[in-house]
Amino acid sequence: MIYQLLQLLPALERLGDISLVPMANPLGLNQKSGEFTLGRFDPVTGQNWNRLYADLRPDLDAFLAKHGQKEPDALKAAYRQALLTELEQRLAEPLALSTGRRLAMTLQRQALQADLVLDLHTGPVSASHLYVPDYARESARLFDIPHVLLIPNQFDGALDESVFCPWWRLGDALAERGRALSLGVEAFTVELGSQEDIDLAEAGRQAGSILAYLTRKGVIGDCPYQPRDMVRHACLLRDYQAIHSPAGGFVQYLARPGRPLPAGEPLARLLRLDGGGHARDITLERDVLPILHFASASVNQGTELYKVFTKPFAL
């Protein structure tokens, strides 16, 4: 998708600075086992590359005592500098940093200097979906992405959270002191689909979706890309459920990511070859919306087969 953005952006009026970071994790990208890309985990430490960002927590009482009455732009600049200063202090402790944490915080340093951050990802076999901080749910309508996960203000190590959580906490602290401000900082994880599938036509549509969002945010001027009128299905993060295999064997994935599955309809079919061989359909007792499934047909007991929205609602 970054390739398509590189093709489209030169012809557009840019009203703000846009930075593209292709191959943000080259170590993970080059991590292969046979035909599969295994880039989520560091093979040396077992750490998840995507969960190593720093939870920055400047002293808000001290910060607001000094800067709380400044004009919005000056207040934002001071807070951004406070975040960068704390991050630089952590980066200055080389003996305490693993390869993954140093890579993550180097990327975080760049992300913290932006007002809008889009962390582009792919999954195993996946429908496109969007992780959205709950305070920015209105912005989810600016993307042509039909599946939306709404995230609370809880840090779990991801890049988008490392950007929006500190600003969310600042916004809440200002509101508690009677000064509600729209700080204009948003960060999202954009899940583009299946990791082993390259489709330039689909990537072009996804690039148009990104450009529609940037147009509405004033980063791009007169632009032909606008958000589509479409149904968007949302789910709270706590209602995003993993479905695990009840036994080992071979699995036929029956539910298609992005297509609602009624209660009682088979999600998957598990095949076992012991005792002459038998098949077992895996069903759920409630309606769900499957989002992604495991890439391999060979599974162990406990393998995560699917992730599903369990209580989807129209956004």
Side-chain angles (χ1 to χ4, degrees):
M1 202 259 274
I2 286 181
Y3 168 82
Q4 294 289 40
L5 287 172
L6 288 169
Q7 309 308 303
L8 296 170
L9 279 169
L12 300 176
E13 179 189 16
R14 281 167 279 170
L15 305 177
D17 295 328
I18 300 174
S19 297
L20 303 176
V21 185
M23 300 184 187
N25 181 0
L27 298 174
L29 186 66
N30 289 329
Q31 187 182 320
K32 294 280 189 180
S33 180
E35 63 202 69
F36 288 100
T37 302
L38 304 177
R40 180 178 296 185
F41 298 99
D42 184 334
V44 177
T45 65
Q47 292 176 318
N48 186 339
W49 296 107
N50 300 321
R51 291 292 182 271
L52 297 176
Y53 296 89
D55 186 11
L56 303 177
R57 291 179 174 268
D59 184 332
L60 286 176
D61 288 333
F63 176 82
L64 290 175
K66 184 176 181 180
H67 302 285
Q69 297 307 313
K70 289 183 175 180
E71 291 298 312
D73 286 348
L75 186 148
K76 279 184 64 176
Y79 192 62
R80 178 166 282 130
Q81 186 56 56
L83 294 173
L84 288 168
T85 297
E86 182 179 339
L87 185 66
E88 293 296 346
Q89 290 170 349
R90 299 196 190 192
L91 280 166
E93 301 177 0
L95 298 181
L97 295 179
S98 66
T99 301
R101 288 200 182 276
R102 177 167 292 281
L103 173 62
M105 285 194 280
T106 300
L107 291 169
Q108 188 175 353
R109 176 200 281 148
Q110 184 167 357
L112 286 172
Q113 298 175 63
D115 286 331
L116 309 174
V117 176
L118 305 178
D119 186 15
L120 307 181
H121 278 254
T122 53
V125 179
S126 175
S128 61
H129 54 292
L130 185 69
Y131 285 82
V132 178
D134 195 77
Y135 72 83
R137 64 167 63 194
E138 290 301 314
S139 291
R141 297 187 175 93
L142 305 181
F143 296 88
D144 293 341
I145 297 178
H147 313 109
V148 176
L149 272 164
L150 296 172
I151 313 175
N153 191 8
Q154 296 174 359
F155 184 77
D156 193 34
L159 176 58
D160 58 345
E161 296 162 346
S162 76
V163 175
F164 71 65
C165 280
W167 289 96
W168 197 340
R169 288 191 286 263
L170 175 62
D172 287 349
L174 285 166
E176 289 170 2
R177 291 162 174 77
R179 191 183 184 197
L181 286 180
S182 177
L183 296 168
V185 177
E186 296 181 348
F188 308 91
T189 294
V190 186
E191 295 282 357
L192 299 168
S194 303
Q195 66 188 29
E196 301 291 350
D197 183 24
I198 298 295
D199 183 335
L200 283 180
E202 177 60 21
R205 288 188 287 270
Q206 292 169 336
S209 172
I210 298 296
L211 294 173
Y213 168 77
L214 295 178
T215 298
R216 288 295 183 91
K217 291 297 178 179
V219 181
I220 293 176
D222 188 20
C223 178
Y225 302 99
Q226 297 295 327
R228 286 193 295 143
D229 184 14
M230 62 187 298
V231 176
R232 293 171 177 84
H233 302 279
C235 178
L236 301 180
L237 186 63
R238 66 171 180 262
D239 297 322
Y240 190 40
Q241 182 178 345
I243 308 298
H244 298 90
S245 179
F250 300 94
V251 65
Q252 179 183 3
Y253 298 99
L254 300 175
R256 180 177 173 183
R259 181 174 295 176
L261 182 74
E265 290 292 317
L267 181 75
R269 181 166 296 131
L270 182 63
L271 309 174
R272 290 180 59 87
L273 303 180
D274 55 324
H278 59 278
R280 170 185 176 182
D281 282 351
I282 299 172
T283 61
L284 303 176
E285 296 180 354
R286 64 190 310 168
D287 296 349
V288 299
L289 178 56
I291 298 298
L292 58 84
H293 68 70
F294 194 59
S296 174
S298 175
V299 300
N300 298 321
Q301 185 178 39
T303 294
E304 184 179 279
L305 296 180
Y306 276 89
K307 282 190 173 179
V308 300
F309 286 7
T310 62
K311 298 178 182 179
F313 55 91
L315 186 66

